[in-house]
């Protein structure tokens, strides 16, 4: 299996480009700097492109992927907002789709030694690297099926994604926990990569509620995929983090059926489903050396940043009653009449 390598651009120079806005790619500089902007969480500015917020470098990656990425019928695209369970989804789908080549009982399973973030690359991050080859690497065992992740909203996916028969799995998470997770993650990245202090919690909350977080507004991002999953259920599978936590095995079976690789009777009897969900559980992955002390390929940041608590309802330890009510009201107003709901117990 081809595990991606960091051959073209070193972590540090990519990070430097990411943080320095003067390093905009020439061809996009004018169009990016004329967009509406506001102070970024990590970078000096975030830019609003067609209603969604981006760091300039990832906007460049998004635009470049729109121009260059050719989806194939057999591609599997994993889409999420940051902090909604991307790492978990990557692990689950990797283990699920490669289970013949890598039985989960094997001591040499790639998930035991490679971060899920590095096993499945992010589309726009990949294209944000200027020296990347035009073809997305084949990431899977048989050289045909590609596993690709993205944070792009449905509306901004490369056109070929809609035109091909490739499938998308989307995971969303209740916005209160997502916000708390995002705030912790951004603070960690600010400290580790940029040497900045924490973003004051009320300031971060205000930005999030205005939709000004990466790939936000969260409501438009979620609704785009939600509506598509209703219209086109064989194309988009829409899952919720909280329900996956409650019933991981049932969700694995749903994913397998959706991807047309259902578990055989023999696999069911052999405990393969439980084996995958155990391997990919928070407890298992977060205790692996690679995820405790390893560094990511793209930025060289600590892999442990992707594993904090992995719990439902941690917002209760952070949000005031007033804040929780405000976010609930936003959710209610934005999702009204769409059928998309979050269980109030979350
Ligand atoms: P918390 O910060 O609430 O703990 P992403 O992968 O999209 O960056 O999301 C990160 C969030 O998912 C973090 O949430 C992280 O702890 C949680 N997470 C990571 N791996 C997980 C797993 N295997 N199962 C459940 N949650 C997981």
């Amino acid at each position: 299996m081809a595990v991606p390598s960091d051959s073209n651009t070193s972590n540090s120079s990519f990070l430097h480009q990411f943080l320095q806005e003067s390093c905009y790619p020439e061809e996009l500089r004018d169009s990016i700097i004329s967009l509406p902007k506001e102070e970024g969480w990590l970078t000096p500015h975030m830019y609003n492109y067609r209603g969604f917020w981006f760091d300039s470098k990832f906007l460049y990656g998004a635009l470049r992927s729109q121009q260059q990425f050719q989806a194939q019928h057999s591609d599997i695209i994993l889409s999420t907002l940051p902090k909604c369970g991307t790492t978990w989804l990557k692990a689950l789908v990797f283990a699920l789709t490669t289970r013949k080549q890598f039985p989960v009982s094997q001591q040499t399973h790639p998930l035991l030694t490679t971060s899920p973030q590095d096993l499945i690359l992010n589309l726009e991050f990949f294209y944000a690297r200027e020296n990347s080859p035009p073809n997305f690497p084949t990431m899977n065992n048989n050289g045909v099926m590609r596993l690709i992740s993205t944070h792009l909203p449905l509306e901004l996916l490369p056109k070929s994604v809609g035109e091909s028969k490739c499938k998308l799995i989307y995971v969303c998470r209740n916005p209160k926990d997502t916000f708390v997770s995002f705030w912790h993650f951004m603070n960690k990245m600010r400290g580790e990569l940029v040497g900045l202090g924490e973003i004051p919690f009320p300031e971060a909350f205000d930005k999030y509620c205005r939709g000004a977080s990466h790939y936000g507004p969260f409501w438009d991002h979620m609704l785009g995929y939600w509506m598509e999953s209703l219209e086109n259920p064989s194309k988009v599978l829409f899952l919720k983090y909280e329900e996956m936590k409650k019933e991981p095995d049932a969700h694995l079976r749903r994913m397998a059926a959706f991807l047309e690789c259902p578990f055989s009777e023999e696999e069911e009897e052999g405990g393969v489903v439980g084996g995958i969900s155990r391997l990919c559980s928070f407890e298992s992955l977060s205790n692996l050396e690679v995820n405790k002390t390893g560094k990511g390929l793209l930025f060289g940041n600590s892999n442990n940043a992707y594993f904090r608590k992995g719990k439902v309802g941690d917002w209760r330890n952070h949000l005031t009653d007033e804040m929780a009510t405000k976010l609930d009201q936003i959710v209610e107003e934005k999702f009204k009449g769409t059928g998309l709901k979050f269980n109030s117990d979350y």
Side-chain angles (χ1 to χ4, degrees):
M1 186 195 58
V3 171
S5 72
D6 189 38
S7 53
N8 290 325
T9 312
S10 73
N11 288 334
S12 61
S13 77
F14 182 70
L15 178 62
H16 179 76
Q17 284 178 18
F18 175 70
L19 296 171
Q20 297 296 314
E21 298 203 341
S22 56
C23 290
Y24 290 144
E26 195 72 40
E27 80 253 33
L28 287 170
R29 183 176 302 149
D30 288 346
S31 44
I32 290 178
I33 58 177
S34 59
L35 291 170
K37 64 180 175 186
E38 75 162 69
E39 193 181 346
W41 295 68
L42 200 56
T43 50
H45 296 108
M46 279 192 309
Y47 293 87
N48 192 294
Y49 177 73
R50 291 177 48 195
F52 292 94
W53 288 99
F54 290 88
D55 286 325
S56 59
K57 194 73 181 156
F58 293 147
L59 177 52
Y60 170 67
L63 299 175
R64 197 160 170 247
S65 71
Q66 286 175 346
Q67 290 163 354
Q68 298 186 9
F69 178 72
Q70 273 309 313
Q72 296 169 10
H73 295 317
S74 54
D75 287 345
I76 297 171
I77 300 182
L78 311 179
S79 183
T80 51
L81 273 168
K83 306 302 122 199
C84 283
T86 317
T87 315
W88 188 19
L89 179 66
K90 286 183 180 189
L92 288 168
V93 174
F94 181 88
L96 173 68
T97 56
T98 62
R99 66 191 192 266
K100 299 270 188 301
Q101 186 185 2
F102 304 119
V104 282
S105 52
Q106 239 177 33
Q107 291 308 305
T108 53
H109 195 284
L111 276 167
L112 298 175
T113 47
T114 312
S115 157
Q117 293 291 346
D118 291 341
L119 279 174
I120 302 182
L121 293 185
N122 175 294
L123 181 73
E124 62 276 12
F125 296 2
F126 181 80
Y127 278 99
R129 303 175 74 127
E130 284 168 71
N131 296 330
S132 59
N135 289 321
F136 208 79
T138 297
M139 294 296 301
N140 220 311
N141 52 339
N142 54 16
V144 178
M145 180 180 59
R146 299 184 303 180
L147 302 177
I148 297 162
S149 88
T150 185
H151 292 312
L152 291 179
L154 186 93
E155 295 86 334
L156 298 183
L157 288 172
K159 228 167 146 206
S160 62
V161 172
E163 291 164 351
S164 81
K165 291 186 185 142
C166 71
K167 287 178 179 267
L168 293 110
I169 301 183
Y170 185 82
V171 172
C172 80
R173 187 179 190 188
N174 81 76
K176 288 180 287 193
D177 277 341
T178 308
F179 163 66
V180 168
S181 181
F182 190 70
W183 179 72
H184 279 288
F185 182 78
M186 281 300 149
N187 286 336
K188 195 161 166 85
M189 291 300 102
R190 282 163 69 92
E192 194 176 325
L193 302 179
V194 201
L196 290 173
E198 284 191 355
I199 308 184
F201 195 70
E203 189 186 309
F205 183 73
D206 174 64
K207 274 168 112 63
Y208 190 75
C209 289
R210 287 188 292 104
S213 56
H214 294 112
Y215 305 89
F218 68 82
W219 51 87
D220 285 336
H221 199 284
M222 290 176 181
L223 281 176
Y225 283 96
W226 170 249
M227 300 313 278
E228 188 64 23
S229 74
L230 296 181
E231 259 175 52
N232 209 344
S234 61
K235 178 83 177 175
V236 178
L237 178 66
F238 190 97
L239 303 175
K240 293 181 181 159
Y241 179 95
E242 295 76 15
E243 290 173 4
M244 288 167 62
K245 282 291 285 189
K246 210 189 276 177
E247 294 182 307
D249 290 8
H251 281 80
L252 260 175
R253 291 191 185 94
R254 273 186 78 187
M255 287 190 237
F258 173 75
L259 297 175
E260 295 166 17
C261 57
F263 292 101
S264 65
E265 239 171 73
E266 199 185 322
E267 287 179 310
E268 286 284 357
E269 280 163 15
V272 174
V273 186
I276 295 178
S277 57
R278 272 193 302 280
L279 172 66
C280 300
S281 67
F282 181 85
E283 291 66 28
S284 146
L285 292 182
S286 63
N287 280 309
L288 294 170
E289 204 49 42
V290 63
N291 296 323
K292 284 202 287 195
T293 57
K295 302 270 184 198
L297 281 180
L298 185 69
F299 285 123
N301 64 292
S302 306
N303 290 336
N304 66 20
Y306 298 103
F307 301 92
R308 193 180 62 94
K309 285 191 177 173
K311 293 228 160 22
V312 174
D314 188 42
W315 61 267
R316 290 189 174 82
N317 297 316
H318 294 80
L319 298 184
T320 61
D321 289 350
E322 200 185 322
M323 285 171 158
T325 306
K326 182 167 176 185
L327 253 183
D328 285 345
Q329 281 169 349
I330 291 172
V331 165
E332 203 180 309
E333 182 199 320
K334 300 290 182 187
F335 295 169
K336 196 171 183 179
T338 65
L340 179 55
K341 290 194 173 76
F342 292 97
N343 185 326
S344 54
D345 296 344
Y346 303 152

